Amino acid sequence: MKRTSRRRLTAAVLTVVAVTTGATACSSGASGTSTKAADSKTYTIWDPYPQFSKGSEWTKLLDGCGTKAGVKIKRTAFDTSDLTNKALLAAQQGNSSDILIVDNPVVSTLAEAGVLTTTDDSKLDTSKVSPNLLAAGQSGGKTYGTPIGANTLALYYNKKILKAAGVDISSVKDWTSLTAALAKVKAAGKKGITFSAIGTEEGSFQFLPWFWGSGAKLTALDSAQATSALSLWKGWLDKGYAPNSVINNTQTTSWQEFAGGDYAFAENGTWQLANADKAGLDYGVIPVPASRGGAAEAPTGGEFVTMPVQQDTARYATSQKLVSCLTNSQNLLQTDTTLSYVAPTAEVQDQQVAANAKLKPWVEAVKAAKGRTSDDLGTKYPKISEQLWKAVQSALSGSASPKDALGSAQSAVK
């Protein structure tokens, strides 16, 4: 590894920020640590899915791909945030896994640290992947890996409450019509909308559809468009359309509020579909509306399958076969169904909708989504995100106006 790469890697180890907890609903805990086997016929795979133990459909898929490639698979699962640190340290020690499946906002951190190969080096074919999803794994004009699937945010709604309030969901097309629907719900004696505005990445993750839906850009947190988005949320709290609890809500506690049956709307993710069915609610889903109509860009969650840099570059050919196996159309359908993800290719998305019509609004939301590190933000995103969630907290708590809160955020970023 070149000296400049080592310096970048050391800096990344010291400054790595976990920005992944808002994006996915992965279980915590790890199945243990792993070192690369000396056996050239054994290939190591690290993933953030500790919820899938040996014998699960996921591990069977990994072993099956290994068999097709003529090698054995040694798989280790880590907690999502822990995986980033482990990957950086392993690279520093010259002991990277052959394949690393990592949350998409971390790809740019690892890429800029010199940990990952580009698709030019690995020869991975990403031609079928939706460009907006692939962008989350791009930095400096190069692509690092390929997405295994995506999740994002949308609005769940309670059909019973909306009917009682006289709200036709088809009328909810923009911020004005959504706010009007919330007013009707409150007048009918029910609760309006719940979401997560907690002072962590989860809060930024949930605010981004409204931020981007206003036309704002993460490079200008204090724009008039950004102020309009934060003013929308503040206005909902002031009018009682959203509860003050959103300031401390995680996406899980926000969901629990909605699952209680008193809220008309909840902003939440694809991963809550199974819980929505278990709650027994008569619900529907629409994309988060943009300020002037249409679907807002929502942030993408989900992982990229990447190939870390190896001293023995001859290993790349087999690693490429393994990644191609994991991400081919047949296996993507199985894997993304297991993970409650939307597939990264139109071909498999169509198959998902054909199998489960409830996924249609989620596919539409994913098509409009974008990566948090897109626009070539790369490792700048964590700092921007931190100032964004601080601004949201400041405005919703009443300690500063939306305009002043965002102004302070932009100054801090600079």
Side-chain angles (χ1 to χ4, degrees):
M1 185 180 289
K2 294 181 180 179
R3 184 172 297 176
T4 54
S5 295
R6 285 192 179 278
R7 283 200 296 265
R8 292 200 307 270
L9 182 54
T10 300
V13 171
L14 293 174
T15 63
V16 64
V17 178
V19 298
T20 56
T21 55
T24 57
C26 294
S27 301
S28 61
S31 65
T33 57
S34 171
T35 57
K36 183 184 296 184
D39 182 2
S40 62
K41 287 294 184 180
T42 298
Y43 277 66
T44 54
I45 297 179
W46 291 3
D47 68 49
Y49 310 131
Q51 68 269 37
F52 298 126
S53 58
K54 187 174 179 61
S56 65
E57 290 302 313
W58 171 245
T59 59
K60 288 179 182 177
L61 173 60
L62 296 180
D63 291 338
C65 286
T67 299
K68 290 180 181 178
V71 298
K72 294 181 179 180
I73 299 299
K74 186 171 184 179
R75 175 250 182 175
T76 308
F78 297 91
D79 173 78
T80 302
S81 57
D82 191 35
L83 179 55
T84 305
N85 296 307
K86 289 290 194 298
L88 287 165
L89 289 170
Q92 193 177 43
Q93 297 163 359
N95 192 37
S96 293
S97 61
D98 291 290
I99 295 173
L100 177 65
I101 303 174
V102 64
D103 199 31
N104 73 68
V106 179
V107 173
S108 58
T109 298
L110 298 178
E112 291 184 28
V115 175
L116 305 177
T117 61
T118 69
T119 51
D120 289 337
D121 295 329
S122 64
K123 310 303 179 185
L124 288 177
D125 181 8
T126 59
S127 60
K128 293 183 179 180
V129 178
S130 299
N132 66 316
L133 300 182
L134 191 63
Q138 295 174 327
S139 179
K142 297 181 180 180
T143 303
Y144 299 85
T146 186
I148 198 168
N151 56 36
T152 193
L153 296 166
L155 292 183
Y156 288 84
Y157 63 89
N158 186 312
K159 294 181 180 180
K160 181 179 179 180
I161 290 179
L162 293 188
K163 182 178 181 180
V167 175
D168 180 356
I169 192 61
S170 66
S171 69
V172 179
K173 298 179 178 180
D174 53 24
W175 291 1
T176 299
S177 54
L178 175 57
T179 301
L182 296 177
K184 287 185 177 181
V185 168
K186 183 184 179 185
K190 293 294 184 179
K191 299 176 181 179
I193 186 169
T194 179
F195 47 87
S196 170
I198 195 170
T200 67
E201 175 62 21
E202 284 190 77
S204 292
F205 188 70
Q206 289 242 319
F207 184 57
L208 279 174
W210 312 95
F211 182 88
W212 283 332
S214 72
K217 296 182 181 299
L218 286 172
T219 51
L221 298 180
D222 57 350
S223 68
Q225 294 93 332
T227 300
S228 71
L230 190 47
S231 296
L232 178 74
W233 271 19
K234 175 60 173 170
W236 286 349
L237 263 67
D238 290 345
K239 295 176 182 177
Y241 300 162
N244 289 326
S245 60
V246 299
I247 296 175
N248 297 311
N249 271 350
T250 63
Q251 292 180 111
T252 298
T253 54
S254 172
W255 177 259
Q256 290 168 347
E257 289 179 337
F258 179 73
D262 291 330
Y263 282 87
F265 294 93
E267 180 185 4
N268 225 294
T270 326
W271 54 87
Q272 297 291 8
L273 278 172
N275 289 330
D277 291 331
K278 289 179 182 178
L281 299 174
D282 188 8
Y283 72 94
V285 179
I286 59 171
V288 175
S291 174
R292 298 182 179 180
E297 292 176 317
T300 57
E303 290 77 42
F304 264 61
V305 188
T306 67
M307 288 170 48
V309 172
Q310 304 292 335
Q311 293 181 352
D312 180 6
T313 58
R315 297 180 70 86
Y316 292 160
T318 297
S319 293
Q320 190 270 349
K321 290 180 182 179
L322 293 171
V323 176
S324 296
C325 176
L326 292 174
T327 58
N328 68 34
S329 295
Q330 179 180 350
N331 290 334
L332 273 178
L333 180 61
Q334 174 186 329
T335 298
D336 290 334
T337 298
T338 299
L339 296 173
S340 291
Y341 282 176
V342 172
T345 67
E347 175 188 358
V348 182
Q349 288 173 0
D350 290 342
Q351 294 178 47
Q352 288 182 301
V353 173
N356 183 1
K358 289 182 179 180
L359 289 176
K360 185 176 181 179
W362 291 107
V363 169
E364 292 175 357
V366 164
K367 287 180 177 179
K370 66 184 293 184
R372 284 163 279 173
T373 58
S374 296
D375 300 328
D376 216 22
L377 289 178
T379 53
K380 298 175 185 176
Y381 174 75
K383 183 175 181 180
I384 293 171
S385 175
E386 181 179 3
Q387 296 307 318
L388 187 60
W389 82 57
K390 286 181 176 179
V392 170
Q393 286 269 299
S394 182
L396 297 191
S397 67
S399 62
S401 68
K403 182 178 180 180
D404 290 344
L406 290 167
S408 296
Q410 183 62 25
S411 296
V413 169
K414 287 182 178 179

